Amino acid sequence: HHGFMCADDSLGAEAVADGLAVAERSGVHVLDPSLIADGIYLSLGHGDLPRADGYFARMAGIVTHIGRPGDHAHFHALAGWRALLAGDTARAHEEARTAVEIAVEAGMRFPEALSRYGLALALCARGEHAAAARELDGLGRIASESGSAFLEYMHGLGRALSALDRREPDGIEWLR
């Protein structure tokens, strides 16, 4: 994760490739979804949709084979982000909604929070601000219950983006 955390695309891509090569040699593939997700994050973060699509194709097969709910939720959340970047708000909504449903059903609060954030962004992109506010309320509850500064930040950022999208003056207050 060092390349990812340092925002070094080449180092991150190399780490993903190295990790997947070790998994292939050892026959141990339990971390493949996480490694591939790192490749997706790197690709989407740089707007490289074709490279992300290569990772998505690989992750789809693995997630189906392994069948862990967290991996399924993560896959759909990332697919929602990819759809948003491509301007496909209908698909972004569908993927994010699926991610939330999977995370809620599995009782996975952190993936639920991240998925609700993605769903809120998709809803804002569709102009459905009241529905986005409900998803952000859910994220805010999880952030408050968990005490996670990261989730509190995401909640505030989501509120700010939604308010600024509606041209409301209090949007900037959420960034303070």
Side-chain angles (χ1 to χ4, degrees):
H1 296 299
H2 177 73
F4 178 71
M5 299 306 280
C6 295
D8 184 326
D9 185 51
S10 61
L11 185 58
E14 182 180 323
V16 169
D18 289 350
L20 292 171
V22 168
E24 197 59 40
R25 285 193 309 273
S26 69
V28 178
H29 295 279
V30 70
L31 293 178
D32 285 9
S34 294
L35 289 166
I36 294 169
D38 280 354
I40 293 171
Y41 280 111
L42 286 165
S43 300
L44 295 180
H46 285 87
D48 189 343
L49 301 184
R51 183 174 69 169
D53 289 342
Y55 286 118
F56 273 115
R58 188 162 183 186
M59 189 173 182
I62 292 169
V63 166
T64 300
H65 177 70
I66 293 176
R68 294 182 303 215
D71 293 331
H72 282 271
H74 199 191
F75 176 83
H76 287 287
L78 290 171
W81 181 22
R82 193 250 182 253
L84 268 180
L85 291 177
D88 187 346
T89 58
R91 173 112 190 240
H93 177 263
E94 177 185 325
E95 293 287 359
R97 169 69 57 207
T98 299
V100 170
E101 290 170 358
I102 292 167
V104 167
E105 184 177 317
M108 303 175 77
R109 301 293 278 164
F110 189 78
E112 176 189 342
L114 296 179
S115 299
R116 286 188 184 282
Y117 179 78
L119 181 54
L121 294 182
L123 289 163
C124 283
R126 292 166 52 115
E128 298 178 34
H129 295 286
R134 287 190 296 275
E135 296 306 326
L136 290 169
D137 287 345
L139 165 58
R141 278 190 301 278
I142 295 169
S144 179
E145 291 166 5
S146 69
S148 169
F150 175 71
L151 293 179
E152 289 283 350
Y153 174 78
M154 289 188 72
H155 176 248
L157 184 60
R159 289 286 185 195
L161 290 170
S162 178
L164 292 171
D165 190 48
R166 294 185 319 272
R167 308 257 192 262
E168 291 184 2
D170 68 335
I172 199 72
E173 293 303 314
W174 284 101
L175 297 175
R176 295 184 196 270

